[in-house]
Amino acid sequence: MSYCVNCGVELEASLRECPLCHTPVINPVEAGKEFPPSPFPANKGQVEVVKRKDLGILLSVVLTATGVTCLLLNLLVFDHFLWSLLVIGICICLFVFIFPAVFYSKMPLLVSLSADGMAVAVYLYMIAYITPSTAWFWELGLPIVALVTLGVGIFVLLAKKVPFTILSGALCLFIEIPLFCTALELMIRRMIMSPLRLTWSAVVLTVCVIIDVALITILVKKRLRNEVRRRLHF
Ligand SMILES: [Zn+2]
């Protein structure tokens, strides 16, 4: 049994160098002797990678089968209410989410993002359809989905157009969050018919304005910006 003189790892008899530190194996006692043939195969084998499209077909088939069987189960056995719409909606959403990744990777990000937003909206409508009232969907569900999609879209667009850093990304985020919260509070108040004014969202707005002012100062002052980058390692 041999050990590497450098790192001490135990060495297989056929090895000519240490597999860890690559120190050559020289054993004076066995000088001149032939190294036994390596027990390991010379070529690295690899299992063939599953093609994305094949994976996509598999996932689509599974999702379709799930939707159809649940619909049948709903219509033929447990038919007291249309619960299968909840499952079908999730299947549709998942299909729309994975579509760009497995079938069409060249799809523009904003197009796939809009499709994701629409899929979620359709799913919420399906839930609204089987609940007593659809009012919450029109007054709260749909606007929230639209706002979140718009917010993510603006974020993605900015990340593409301007030189994107963690600092500018954070600034964008801390501008979008209070706007979203303000819109959310106004929508909730409108829905429950209470006077349109800001309470909790005003607190969020205040905190975010302070953070934004700090971020803008850091971004504008080059020396400050470099110092922050150096200290936070980005
Ligand atoms: Zn070694």
Side-chain angles (χ1 to χ4, degrees):
M1 191 59 67
S2 310
Y3 296 90
C4 172
V5 288
N6 184 43
C7 69
V9 75
E10 193 176 310
L11 298 168
E12 208 276 332
S14 64
L15 289 174
R16 286 150 200 259
E17 63 168 32
C18 170
L20 279 188
C21 66
H22 303 291
T23 305
V25 176
I26 301 160
N27 188 343
V29 181
E30 295 183 340
K33 270 192 193 168
E34 282 283 302
F35 279 94
S38 170
F40 309 112
N43 298 327
K44 266 190 194 164
Q46 201 176 20
V47 181
E48 211 178 316
V49 187
V50 180
K51 284 211 171 74
R52 263 201 222 175
K53 211 172 173 180
D54 295 341
L55 184 69
I57 290 169
L58 176 69
L59 289 172
S60 311
V61 169
V62 171
L63 289 175
T64 311
T66 310
V68 172
T69 47
C70 282
L71 182 65
L72 288 175
L73 191 67
N74 188 180
L75 294 178
L76 303 175
V77 188
F78 304 105
D79 57 354
H80 50 289
F81 83 110
L82 263 177
W83 56 268
S84 62
L85 281 186
L86 302 176
V87 183
I88 293 170
I90 289 182
C91 291
I92 294 174
C93 283
L94 287 177
F95 180 76
V96 174
F97 292 164
I98 63 165
F99 186 83
V102 289
F103 288 117
Y104 188 53
S105 53
K106 285 181 199 140
M107 188 189 268
L109 209 54
L110 285 180
V111 175
S112 64
L113 198 66
S114 314
D116 293 349
M118 273 188 256
V120 175
V122 168
Y123 182 52
L124 287 184
Y125 184 75
M126 283 174 157
I127 298 174
Y129 184 75
I130 55 172
T131 50
S133 157
T134 55
W136 65 266
F137 171 78
W138 298 110
E139 287 176 26
L140 213 56
L142 188 63
I144 287 177
V145 173
L147 277 179
V148 172
T149 311
L150 186 72
V152 178
I154 291 172
F155 194 84
V156 168
L157 212 63
L158 276 179
K160 272 187 171 176
K161 297 282 174 212
V162 293
F164 195 73
T165 60
I166 293 180
L167 285 172
S168 60
L171 180 64
C172 179
L173 206 64
F174 282 106
I175 291 174
E176 285 189 356
I177 289 172
L179 291 178
F180 175 77
C181 289
T182 310
L184 185 66
E185 180 165 21
L186 291 178
M187 283 189 293
I188 294 172
R189 282 180 168 272
R190 206 180 124 237
M191 195 179 152
I192 57 173
M193 290 170 192
S194 71
L196 290 184
R197 53 188 288 268
L198 301 180
T199 52
W200 60 267
S201 64
V203 179
V204 179
L205 195 66
T206 312
V207 173
C208 287
V209 165
I210 296 169
I211 296 173
D212 286 338
V213 170
L215 283 172
I216 291 169
T217 314
I218 293 170
L219 279 166
V220 170
K221 291 266 169 213
K222 198 178 170 196
R223 221 168 40 204
L224 205 55
R225 193 173 66 218
N226 290 338
E227 191 65 17
V228 170
R229 281 203 185 127
R230 212 159 43 119
R231 278 169 198 262
L232 298 179
H233 306 288
F234 57 80

